[in-house]
Amino acid sequence: MFESLKKKFTGTIGKISDKVTAEEELEAASEETEVVKSTEKSESPKSVEKPDTKPVDDRSSETESKVEDGKKSGMLGFLRGKPNETDEIKDEKSIVKESSELETPISDETELIESETSEKSDDKSGIFSFVRNKTISEKDIDDILFELELALLEGDVAMDVAEKIINSVKDDLIGRKIRRRSDVTDFTRDALKKAISNILDIESKDVISLAENAKKSGEPLKIMFVGINGTGKTTTIAKISTYFLEKGYTPVIAASDTFRAGAIEQLTHHADKLGVKIIKHKKGADPAAVAFDAVEHAKAKGKELVLVDTAGRMQTNINLMDEMKKIKRVIHPDLIIYVGDALTGNDSVEQAQKFNEAVGIDGIILTKADADAKGGAALSIGYVIQKPILFLGVGQSYSDIIEFKPEWMVEQIIG
Ligand SMILES: Nc1nc2c(ncn2[C@@H]2O[C@H](COP(=O)(O)OP(=O)(O)OP(=O)(O)O)[C@@H](O)[C@H]2O)c(=O)[nH]1
Ligand SMILES: [Mg+2]
């Protein structure tokens, strides 16, 4: 689930960490070389007659060349990545030691290098993980975040959402002081988590407490399911029935899809398997009348829930959209739930907007999340219409439904 979204975010964390520390490592490496050179110059004036003449002492010429090698190895270390870096740092350290053997006094700067290199060696996250009081700049992260924004858009994340994430991460990171690579990694991960949590932070509905209130009041909780064809409305009603049955509430199902051939039979099949009462009329009957009868039945029998199945309809089909509005007028549902197919990405977000404009949606159930690698709809849909995702459909069996929790989603995609 949402693998591609996860890859994008974790890839970004890695890239930002590499970029921010790589530049600093390079500077640090050449600075260290400079320090070694200046140590030699200031501490061994006798061994060098003129700054640009050849050193008299063979060993100091060897030292010079090793220093140059050290400088190169610092650069190569950056280009090659971690595995060779340990040796290279050791080399630099031994060069420093050698230079101090040559000229007895050990300068403060040399001590500094030694203590820094030993700190590097102790750090398990990598020898070059130590950086010197670096501050993250816009230049460090701009390109990488632009790349992330494009990747999010390709992954069906809505434009507003992608922009909001990028801006929030920028605001959080630019100007942060870091000391080591792990700081960049942690800050970037935290910044992404915060940005995504804010996107998903939409007041949700606790359907169980709504059912409990309905039980106490003696009025059933009426939930109507809407959406375009084939998104999973009927299957979701069977899953939601199971969910409530397990929690001790008894639903009644209204077969208000009187339009599609086989729809009533399909729902009857589920209701029979679950042992749930279904109220149905003939194909072509008025869906609002079926829903009304189901509510009356629930009231008469003291059942806590009415789940109203409706025909799939395109948001452009005016007659069917009007029919849906009529069901709403007749039974006054407590919740209208838009059932969207996660696999259709941006389309399901746009359709949710249209259904919201037409009837007013209270919550969302995204189905087929089990097959959705992109995750764009799950990340964007709630933010775009400012309604909560209540559940995710994660398979084809009755128990394949999970409550949607923003923290869970953040954990899925950032870890
Ligand atoms: N993998 C997977 N398949 C699902 C999920 N939910 C529904 N489906 C499948 O999606 C297909 C359509 O499901 P339905 O419940 O008939 O969809 P519908 O919205 O009622 O369709 P219409 O009544 O034609 O509008 C079925 O094959 C379901 O098994 C889910 O969460 N995961
Ligand atoms: Mg159906």
Side-chain angles (χ1 to χ4, degrees):
M1 228 183 312
F2 316 141
E3 301 85 359
S4 122
L5 208 51
K6 183 167 189 172
K7 227 170 155 183
K8 284 169 187 140
F9 288 128
T10 48
T12 299
I13 295 170
K15 280 182 197 164
I16 290 182
S17 305
D18 286 349
K19 175 94 185 281
V20 172
T21 52
E23 284 182 358
E24 183 62 17
E25 286 155 11
L26 207 54
E27 283 163 26
S30 55
E31 270 173 37
E32 282 174 17
T33 313
E34 285 308 313
V35 171
V36 174
K37 276 188 168 176
S38 71
T39 306
E40 285 172 356
K41 281 173 191 164
S42 60
E43 305 293 337
S44 58
K46 283 169 225 151
S47 61
V48 182
E49 283 174 16
K50 281 184 199 166
D52 49 0
T53 51
K54 262 196 157 186
V56 186
D57 190 322
D58 276 0
R59 288 170 70 195
S60 55
S61 104
E62 193 190 328
T63 308
E64 270 290 345
S65 78
K66 281 193 179 174
V67 168
E68 279 308 312
D69 284 351
K71 192 171 179 179
K72 282 178 205 152
S73 74
M75 180 87 77
L76 281 174
F78 158 60
L79 294 170
R80 282 194 204 121
K82 274 185 197 164
N84 298 323
E85 287 164 0
T86 316
D87 295 343
E88 283 152 9
I89 279 290
K90 276 186 193 150
D91 285 341
E92 284 175 18
K93 197 174 168 183
S94 68
I95 292 161
V96 173
K97 279 199 166 159
E98 267 191 63
S99 98
S100 66
E101 277 162 16
L102 274 175
E103 314 301 333
T104 332
I106 298 170
S107 75
D108 290 344
E109 286 148 320
T110 314
E111 277 175 0
L112 177 77
I113 294 170
E114 286 212 288
S115 75
E116 284 185 2
T117 45
S118 67
E119 184 171 347
K120 285 173 186 179
S121 309
D122 290 338
D123 191 331
K124 293 194 173 53
S125 61
I127 230 116
F128 270 140
S129 67
F130 184 88
V131 291
R132 300 172 190 209
N133 294 326
K134 160 97 183 170
T135 300
I136 302 177
S137 69
E138 183 157 11
K139 187 176 120 262
D140 289 329
I141 57 174
D142 224 17
D143 290 353
I144 299 169
L145 289 180
F146 180 65
E147 213 180 282
L148 174 65
E149 187 170 353
L150 292 183
L152 292 178
L153 295 176
E154 275 168 22
D156 276 345
V157 173
M159 176 88 83
D160 285 0
V161 172
E163 274 176 7
K164 201 167 177 264
I165 292 173
I166 302 303
N167 291 336
S168 165
V169 171
K170 266 190 197 168
D171 283 354
D172 263 9
L173 288 186
I174 295 172
R176 293 291 304 250
K177 288 202 183 326
I178 49 149
R179 291 279 294 159
R180 41 181 51 83
R181 183 188 162 94
S182 59
D183 289 347
V184 195
T185 309
D186 292 347
F187 293 159
T188 311
R189 180 177 288 111
D190 290 350
L192 282 167
K193 278 189 172 181
K194 186 174 135 195
I196 293 163
S197 301
N198 285 339
I199 293 290
L200 298 172
D201 182 24
I202 293 157
E203 199 184 338
S204 194
K205 306 239 176 226
D206 179 358
V207 291
I208 293 297
S209 55
L210 291 175
E212 189 55 28
N213 292 343
K215 191 175 190 166
K216 284 181 190 146
S217 71
E219 278 284 313
L221 179 71
K222 297 162 279 183
I223 310 180
M224 176 176 168
F225 297 79
V226 301
I228 71 153
N229 313 66
T231 55
K233 296 175 292 301
T234 306
T235 312
T236 299
I237 285 177
K239 290 176 181 177
I240 290 287
S241 297
T242 310
Y243 173 84
F244 277 109
L245 282 168
E246 279 170 2
K247 299 211 178 316
Y249 301 97
T250 311
V252 176
I253 296 176
S256 292
D257 178 0
T258 59
F259 182 76
R260 180 171 66 77
I264 298 171
E265 291 75 9
Q266 181 192 2
L267 194 59
T268 305
H269 168 78
H270 289 311
D272 290 350
K273 275 185 95 170
L274 295 168
V276 169
K277 177 75 181 170
I278 178 168
I279 302 296
K280 54 187 174 184
H281 293 187
K282 286 204 177 83
K283 182 173 180 301
D286 179 359
V290 180
F292 182 85
D293 285 356
V295 174
E296 290 305 303
H297 174 88
K299 282 182 186 168
K301 302 286 178 186
K303 294 180 176 169
E304 294 95 6
L305 289 160
V306 178
L307 306 176
V308 182
D309 192 17
T310 64
R313 66 205 74 213
M314 289 307 291
Q315 66 276 18
T316 46
N317 186 324
I318 293 166
N319 287 344
L320 283 175
M321 290 303 265
D322 284 346
E323 181 193 270
M324 185 177 66
K325 290 177 191 168
K326 183 177 172 191
I327 306 174
K328 181 183 174 180
R329 275 200 310 278
V330 170
I331 64 159
H332 302 292
D334 300 289
L335 290 178
I336 298 184
I337 293 183
Y338 168 79
V339 180
D341 177 341
L343 295 173
T344 60
N346 272 323
D347 286 348
S348 76
V349 177
E350 275 170 33
Q351 284 146 7
Q353 280 176 298
K354 297 289 179 211
F355 277 83
N356 192 33
E357 284 159 20
V359 279
I361 286 164
D362 300 295
I364 300 155
I365 296 182
L366 263 192
T367 61
K368 309 179 195 179
D370 50 308
D372 177 29
K374 282 187 169 178
L379 188 56
S380 318
I381 196 165
Y383 180 82
V384 172
I385 61 167
Q386 286 296 299
K387 303 290 170 181
I389 299 180
L390 302 175
F391 293 92
L392 288 181
V394 290
Q396 304 207 43
S397 49
Y398 294 142
S399 57
D400 286 335
I401 190 152
I402 55 174
E403 290 166 19
F404 182 86
K405 298 259 187 280
E407 320 79 73
W408 171 87
M409 176 83 185
V410 172
E411 205 52 40
Q412 287 291 306
I413 56 182
I414 305 279

